[in-house]
Amino acid sequence: MTSSVPPAVRQLREMALSAAWAASIRAAAKIGVADALGDEPAPVDDLAKAVKADPEALNRLLRALACHGIFDDRGDGVFAHTDVSRLLRDDHPNSLRYMTLWATEPWTWELWARLDESILSGENVFQSLHGKDFFDYLHADAPESAAVFDKAMTQASRLSARRLADTLDLSGVGTVVDIAGGQGQVLATLLEANPEVRGVLFDLPEVVANPDPRLAEGGALASRAELVKGDCRRKVGVPADLYLLKNVLEWDDDSTVDTLRNLAVAAKPGARIVIVENLIDGSPESRFTTAMDLLLLLNVGGKKHTQDGLVKLVSMAGLRVEEVRPVNAYLHMVVATVSS
Ligand SMILES: C[S@@+](CC[C@H](N)C(=O)[O-])C[C@H]1O[C@@H](n2cnc3c(N)ncnc32)[C@H](O)[C@@H]1O
């Protein structure tokens, strides 16, 4: 007699072990097995040789990933790519290799184990674990993780930068500042699409030290680009017609309001402030957005916003909200102006 496992039991059992999924994706991204596998299916022994892995252990890893559609198990130890596993390749135009590494960095694991504490307190646990702010830790104690973060942000922004440049009308804008713009993937795309516009990349010192080559000295856009290091929670001090904040206002609410107020102080009269976010209530990707929301609670005491929640914080900073509209399937744009 066969007795099948009730779907609810199977579901919860699998989910409780889902750290294995994340760890498997991380292991595959780290050892570069997706790069070793070409367009044709390949035996695991060849892949193991290419990435210097134990063949049996690699077979087990790929078998586990194939259960989730990451690699295709053709049987007899032969594996092929799927659309998902190809995204782990470095050379894929939409590569998410660094994004997957970032989402599974060593510091994330110790935070997840303490989620219950954050839920009870409503506070981040990073400060009590490491005795310092997340970004201070990243740059002082985990520079390799900081480098992964910067590359991950660049990869993530590559997916939406072109669409953002198409959506954002910069006519009449002389200078745009990308606040906490990472390495400048979005700013470079905006400058390429708007040859009259000058751009400023504003981020922490360690980040602007390693900008997108197009913005760096000798780069194609360098003559229209300026790199400014600073802490936008303290001061911005760069006058401009438009400030962009993409996936930045995800820390505690006080930091969000302080940053927006700092922009209002620096802005030219009538300047626009454009906030681009994955909104909780506007996202077709609620599993991704709600999971990121919890990670933000853990590391910076932050959040992903609802539309109303974000609009309220923008208003609290004394800015006038002009419109909220979609950028693409998963990003929204809140446009505000600085009252003159
Ligand atoms: C989630 S990333 C977003 C990067 C970029 N806007 C994008 O969408 O690709 C957040 C950025 O905020 C920067 N950052 C964090 N704290 C900052 C601060 N106090 N002042 C300026 N930049 C900061 C980080 O270095 C990082 O580049």
Side-chain angles (χ1 to χ4, degrees):
M1 193 180 83
T2 55
S3 69
S4 60
V5 180
V9 170
R10 192 173 61 215
Q11 189 180 346
L12 189 59
R13 226 167 47 167
E14 286 176 2
M15 284 178 165
L17 254 183
S18 59
W21 310 348
S24 301
I25 294 169
R26 178 174 181 79
K30 272 191 91 173
I31 66 177
V33 62
D35 298 289
L37 178 57
D39 287 339
E40 296 303 319
V44 74
D45 286 352
D46 291 0
L47 297 172
K49 211 172 280 166
V51 300
K52 300 186 175 55
D54 177 84
E56 196 201 329
L58 183 62
N59 189 53
R60 291 162 68 181
L61 176 73
L62 297 179
R63 182 177 68 188
L65 286 166
C67 289
H68 299 283
I70 310 174
F71 299 103
D72 181 21
D73 187 347
R74 298 280 173 95
D76 292 330
V78 172
F79 290 89
H81 265 306
T82 61
D83 286 348
V84 187
S85 63
R86 277 197 189 86
L87 295 176
L88 291 174
R89 286 185 65 93
D90 252 342
D91 62 0
H92 192 285
N94 292 336
S95 176
L96 292 179
R97 178 159 182 239
Y98 283 98
M99 195 58 215
T100 60
L101 289 174
W102 166 248
T104 55
E105 281 291 269
W107 54 264
T108 60
W109 298 89
E110 51 187 3
L111 295 189
W112 287 124
R114 298 177 64 171
L115 182 59
D116 55 328
E117 293 173 36
S118 270
I119 299 303
L120 293 179
S121 69
E123 306 281 338
N124 80 74
V125 291
F126 205 89
Q127 196 78 32
S128 68
L129 251 178
H130 294 283
K132 56 180 80 163
D133 186 79
F134 173 68
F135 282 104
D136 289 343
Y137 164 87
L138 206 56
H139 291 293
D141 303 317
E144 284 167 15
S145 197
V148 168
F149 179 49
D150 293 340
K151 286 184 182 157
M153 294 308 110
T154 299
Q155 284 188 338
S157 280
R158 203 172 283 151
L159 301 176
S160 57
R162 187 66 243 175
R163 177 79 192 129
L164 184 55
D166 291 344
T167 311
L168 193 57
D169 181 6
L170 293 188
S171 39
V173 169
T175 303
V176 52
V177 186
D178 193 356
I179 297 289
Q183 295 177 307
Q185 168 70 28
V186 171
L187 183 66
T189 309
L190 285 179
L191 294 186
E192 280 175 347
N194 297 275
E196 310 301 319
V197 174
R198 299 185 61 78
V200 178
L201 179 66
F202 184 106
D203 206 297
L204 297 172
E206 300 84 352
V207 181
V208 290
N210 188 24
D212 185 302
R214 290 169 290 178
L215 304 173
E217 214 180 309
L221 301 167
S223 62
R224 290 191 284 132
E226 193 186 340
L227 308 172
V228 174
K229 50 187 180 218
D231 179 345
C232 62
R233 289 192 277 186
R234 289 176 194 273
K235 187 180 174 189
V236 171
V238 186
D241 310 291
L242 190 143
Y243 298 86
L244 177 67
L245 300 112
K246 179 175 162 297
N247 294 120
V248 175
L249 302 178
E250 300 177 346
W251 41 38
D252 60 285
D253 288 351
D254 287 346
S255 294
T256 291
V257 174
D258 288 348
T259 299
L260 292 171
R261 286 194 177 130
N262 292 340
L263 295 181
V265 170
K268 292 185 182 173
R272 270 185 291 163
I273 293 177
V274 176
I275 302 163
V276 177
E277 282 295 331
N278 317 65
L279 296 175
I280 290 273
D281 46 359
S283 173
E285 299 184 312
S286 57
R287 287 186 188 172
F288 175 78
T289 312
T290 54
M292 274 304 303
D293 176 59
L294 293 176
L295 187 55
L296 288 163
L297 169 64
L298 285 167
N299 68 349
V300 292
K303 62 173 71 146
K304 288 284 184 191
H305 299 277
T306 60
Q307 179 170 322
D308 283 353
L310 184 55
V311 164
K312 196 168 144 206
L313 293 175
V314 176
S315 304
M316 274 170 69
L319 304 174
R320 197 172 54 234
V321 176
E322 305 289 350
E323 60 169 333
V324 182
R325 62 191 158 100
V327 174
N328 61 18
Y330 56 90
L331 288 174
H332 277 74
M333 180 189 275
V334 176
V335 183
T337 46
V338 179
S339 319
S340 25

Coordinates of all heavy atoms in Angstrom, one line a residue, residues 22-70:
A22 N 19.3 28.1 -0.9 CA 20.1 29.3 -1.0 C 21.6 28.9 -1.0 O 22.4 29.5 -1.8 CB 19.7 30.2 0.1
A23 N 21.9 28.0 -0.1 CA 23.3 27.6 0.0 C 23.8 26.9 -1.3 O 24.9 27.1 -1.7 CB 23.5 26.6 1.2
S24 N 22.9 26.1 -1.9 CA 23.3 25.5 -3.2 C 23.5 26.5 -4.3 O 24.5 26.3 -5.1 CB 22.2 24.5 -3.6 OG 22.0 23.5 -2.6
I25 N 22.7 27.5 -4.4 CA 22.8 28.5 -5.4 C 24.2 29.2 -5.1 O 24.9 29.5 -6.0 CB 21.6 29.5 -5.4 CG1 20.4 28.8 -5.8 CG2 21.9 30.7 -6.3 CD1 19.1 29.6 -5.5
R26 N 24.4 29.5 -3.9 CA 25.7 30.2 -3.5 C 26.9 29.4 -3.9 O 27.8 29.9 -4.5 CB 25.7 30.5 -2.0 CG 27.0 31.2 -1.6 CD 27.0 31.6 -0.2 NE 28.3 32.3 0.2 CZ 28.6 33.5 -0.1 NH1 27.7 34.3 -0.8 NH2 29.7 34.0 0.2
A27 N 26.8 28.1 -3.6 CA 28.0 27.2 -3.9 C 28.2 27.2 -5.4 O 29.3 27.3 -5.9 CB 27.7 25.8 -3.4
A28 N 27.1 27.1 -6.2 CA 27.3 27.0 -7.6 C 27.8 28.3 -8.2 O 28.7 28.3 -9.0 CB 25.9 26.7 -8.3
A29 N 27.4 29.4 -7.6 CA 27.9 30.7 -8.1 C 29.3 30.9 -7.7 O 30.1 31.4 -8.5 CB 27.0 31.9 -7.5
K30 N 29.7 30.4 -6.5 CA 31.1 30.6 -6.1 C 32.1 29.8 -6.9 O 33.1 30.3 -7.3 CB 31.2 30.2 -4.6 CG 30.9 31.3 -3.6 CD 31.3 31.0 -2.2 CE 32.7 31.4 -1.9 NZ 33.1 31.2 -0.5
I31 N 31.7 28.5 -7.1 CA 32.7 27.7 -7.8 C 32.7 27.9 -9.3 O 33.5 27.4 -10.0 CB 32.5 26.2 -7.5 CG1 31.2 25.6 -8.0 CG2 32.7 26.0 -6.0 CD1 31.1 24.1 -7.7
G32 N 31.7 28.6 -9.8 CA 31.7 28.9 -11.3 C 31.3 27.8 -12.2 O 31.7 27.7 -13.3
V33 N 30.4 26.9 -11.7 CA 30.0 25.7 -12.5 C 29.2 26.1 -13.7 O 29.3 25.5 -14.8 CB 29.4 24.6 -11.6 CG1 28.1 25.1 -11.0 CG2 29.2 23.3 -12.4
A34 N 28.4 27.2 -13.6 CA 27.6 27.6 -14.7 C 28.5 28.1 -15.8 O 28.1 28.0 -17.0 CB 26.6 28.7 -14.3
D35 N 29.6 28.7 -15.5 CA 30.5 29.2 -16.5 C 31.2 28.0 -17.2 O 31.6 28.1 -18.4 CB 31.6 30.1 -15.9 CG 31.0 31.4 -15.3 OD1 30.5 32.2 -16.1 OD2 30.9 31.5 -14.1
A36 N 31.4 26.9 -16.4 CA 32.1 25.8 -17.0 C 31.2 25.0 -18.0 O 31.7 24.3 -18.8 CB 32.6 24.8 -15.9
L37 N 29.9 25.1 -17.8 CA 29.0 24.4 -18.6 C 28.6 25.2 -19.9 O 28.2 26.4 -19.7 CB 27.7 24.0 -17.8 CG 26.6 23.3 -18.5 CD1 27.0 22.0 -19.1 CD2 25.4 23.0 -17.5
G38 N 28.8 24.7 -21.0 CA 28.5 25.5 -22.2 C 27.1 25.2 -22.7 O 26.2 24.9 -22.0
D39 N 26.9 25.4 -24.1 CA 25.6 25.2 -24.6 C 25.2 23.8 -24.7 O 24.0 23.4 -24.7 CB 25.6 25.8 -26.0 CG 25.6 27.3 -26.0 OD1 25.2 27.9 -24.9 OD2 26.0 28.0 -27.0
E40 N 26.2 22.9 -24.8 CA 25.8 21.4 -24.9 C 25.8 20.8 -23.5 O 26.6 21.2 -22.6 CB 26.9 20.7 -25.7 CG 27.0 21.2 -27.2 CD 25.6 21.0 -27.9 OE1 25.0 20.0 -27.7 OE2 25.2 22.0 -28.6
P41 N 25.0 19.8 -23.3 CA 25.0 19.0 -22.0 C 26.4 18.5 -21.8 O 27.1 18.2 -22.7 CB 24.0 17.9 -22.2 CG 23.1 18.4 -23.4 CD 24.0 19.3 -24.2
A42 N 26.8 18.4 -20.5 CA 28.1 17.9 -20.2 C 28.1 16.9 -19.0 O 27.3 17.0 -18.1 CB 29.1 19.0 -19.9
P43 N 29.0 15.9 -19.0 CA 29.1 15.0 -17.9 C 29.7 15.7 -16.7 O 30.5 16.5 -16.8 CB 30.1 13.9 -18.4 CG 30.4 14.2 -19.8 CD 30.0 15.6 -20.1
V44 N 29.2 15.3 -15.5 CA 29.6 15.9 -14.3 C 31.1 15.8 -14.1 O 31.7 16.7 -13.5 CB 28.7 15.4 -13.1 CG1 29.1 14.0 -12.7 CG2 28.8 16.4 -11.9
D45 N 31.7 14.7 -14.5 CA 33.1 14.5 -14.4 C 33.9 15.6 -15.1 O 34.9 16.1 -14.5 CB 33.6 13.1 -14.9 CG 33.1 12.0 -14.0 OD1 32.6 12.3 -12.9 OD2 33.3 10.8 -14.4
D46 N 33.4 16.0 -16.2 CA 34.1 17.1 -17.0 C 34.0 18.4 -16.2 O 34.9 19.2 -16.1 CB 33.5 17.3 -18.4 CG 33.9 16.1 -19.3 OD1 34.6 15.1 -18.8 OD2 33.4 16.1 -20.4
L47 N 32.7 18.6 -15.7 CA 32.5 19.9 -15.0 C 33.3 19.9 -13.7 O 33.9 21.0 -13.4 CB 31.0 20.0 -14.6 CG 30.0 20.1 -15.8 CD1 28.6 20.0 -15.4 CD2 30.3 21.4 -16.6
A48 N 33.4 18.8 -13.1 CA 34.2 18.7 -11.8 C 35.7 19.0 -12.1 O 36.3 19.7 -11.3 CB 34.0 17.3 -11.2
K49 N 36.1 18.5 -13.2 CA 37.6 18.8 -13.6 C 37.7 20.3 -13.8 O 38.7 20.9 -13.3 CB 37.9 18.0 -14.8 CG 39.4 17.5 -14.9 CD 39.6 16.6 -16.0 CE 39.2 15.2 -15.7 NZ 39.2 14.3 -16.9
A50 N 36.8 20.9 -14.5 CA 36.9 22.3 -14.9 C 36.9 23.2 -13.6 O 37.6 24.2 -13.6 CB 35.8 22.7 -15.8
V51 N 36.1 22.8 -12.6 CA 36.0 23.7 -11.5 C 36.7 23.2 -10.3 O 36.6 23.7 -9.2 CB 34.5 24.0 -11.1 CG1 33.8 24.7 -12.2 CG2 33.8 22.8 -10.6
K52 N 37.5 22.1 -10.5 CA 38.3 21.5 -9.4 C 37.4 21.0 -8.2 O 37.7 21.3 -7.1 CB 39.4 22.4 -9.0 CG 40.4 22.8 -10.1 CD 41.5 23.6 -9.5 CE 42.6 24.0 -10.5 NZ 42.2 24.6 -11.7
A53 N 36.3 20.3 -8.6 CA 35.4 19.9 -7.5 C 35.5 18.4 -7.4 O 35.9 17.7 -8.3 CB 34.0 20.3 -7.8
D54 N 35.0 17.9 -6.3 CA 34.8 16.4 -6.1 C 33.6 16.0 -7.0 O 32.5 16.5 -6.8 CB 34.5 16.1 -4.6 CG 34.3 14.7 -4.4 OD1 35.2 13.9 -4.3 OD2 33.1 14.3 -4.4
P55 N 33.8 15.1 -7.9 CA 32.8 14.7 -8.9 C 31.5 14.3 -8.2 O 30.4 14.7 -8.6 CB 33.4 13.6 -9.7 CG 34.8 13.7 -9.6 CD 35.1 14.3 -8.2
E56 N 31.6 13.4 -7.2 CA 30.3 12.9 -6.6 C 29.6 14.1 -5.9 O 28.4 14.2 -5.9 CB 30.7 11.8 -5.6 CG 29.4 11.0 -5.3 CD 29.5 10.2 -4.0 OE1 30.6 9.8 -3.7 OE2 28.5 10.0 -3.3
A57 N 30.4 14.9 -5.1 CA 29.7 16.0 -4.4 C 29.1 17.0 -5.4 O 28.0 17.5 -5.2 CB 30.7 16.7 -3.5
L58 N 29.8 17.2 -6.5 CA 29.2 18.2 -7.5 C 28.0 17.6 -8.1 O 27.0 18.3 -8.3 CB 30.3 18.5 -8.6 CG 29.8 19.5 -9.7 CD1 29.5 20.9 -9.0 CD2 30.8 19.6 -10.8
N59 N 27.9 16.3 -8.3 CA 26.7 15.6 -8.9 C 25.6 15.9 -7.9 O 24.4 16.2 -8.3 CB 27.0 14.1 -9.0 CG 25.9 13.5 -9.8 OD1 25.5 13.9 -10.8 ND2 25.3 12.4 -9.1
R60 N 25.9 15.8 -6.6 CA 24.8 15.9 -5.6 C 24.3 17.4 -5.6 O 23.1 17.7 -5.5 CB 25.3 15.5 -4.2 CG 25.5 14.0 -4.1 CD 26.4 13.6 -3.0 NE 25.8 13.8 -1.7 CZ 26.4 13.6 -0.5 NH1 27.6 13.1 -0.5 NH2 25.7 13.8 0.6
L61 N 25.2 18.3 -5.7 CA 24.8 19.7 -5.8 C 23.9 20.0 -7.0 O 22.9 20.6 -6.9 CB 26.1 20.6 -5.8 CG 25.8 22.1 -6.0 CD1 25.3 22.7 -4.7 CD2 27.1 22.9 -6.4
L62 N 24.4 19.6 -8.2 CA 23.6 19.8 -9.4 C 22.3 19.1 -9.4 O 21.3 19.7 -9.9 CB 24.4 19.4 -10.6 CG 25.8 20.2 -10.8 CD1 26.5 19.8 -12.0 CD2 25.5 21.7 -10.9
R63 N 22.2 17.9 -8.8 CA 21.0 17.2 -8.7 C 20.0 18.0 -7.8 O 18.8 18.1 -8.1 CB 21.3 15.8 -8.0 CG 20.2 14.9 -7.9 CD 20.7 13.6 -7.3 NE 21.2 13.7 -5.9 CZ 21.8 12.7 -5.3 NH1 22.1 11.6 -5.9 NH2 22.2 12.9 -4.0
A64 N 20.5 18.5 -6.7 CA 19.6 19.3 -5.8 C 19.1 20.6 -6.5 O 17.9 20.9 -6.4 CB 20.4 19.7 -4.5
L65 N 20.0 21.2 -7.2 CA 19.6 22.5 -7.9 C 18.6 22.2 -9.0 O 17.7 22.9 -9.3 CB 20.9 23.2 -8.5 CG 21.7 23.9 -7.4 CD1 23.1 24.3 -8.0 CD2 21.0 25.1 -6.9
A66 N 18.8 21.0 -9.7 CA 18.0 20.6 -10.8 C 16.5 20.4 -10.4 O 15.6 20.7 -11.1 CB 18.5 19.4 -11.5
C67 N 16.4 20.1 -9.1 CA 15.0 19.9 -8.5 C 14.3 21.3 -8.5 O 13.0 21.3 -8.4 CB 15.0 19.4 -7.1 SG 15.5 17.7 -6.9
H68 N 15.0 22.4 -8.6 CA 14.4 23.7 -8.6 C 14.5 24.4 -10.0 O 14.3 25.6 -10.1 CB 15.1 24.6 -7.6 CG 15.0 24.1 -6.2 ND1 13.8 24.2 -5.5 CD2 15.8 23.4 -5.4 CE1 14.0 23.6 -4.3 NE2 15.2 23.1 -4.2
G69 N 14.9 23.6 -11.0 CA 14.9 24.1 -12.3 C 16.2 24.9 -12.6 O 16.3 25.6 -13.6
I70 N 17.2 24.7 -11.7 CA 18.5 25.4 -11.9 C 19.4 24.3 -12.4 O 19.8 23.4 -11.6 CB 19.0 26.0 -10.6 CG1 17.9 26.9 -10.0 CG2 20.3 26.8 -10.9 CD1 18.3 27.5 -8.7

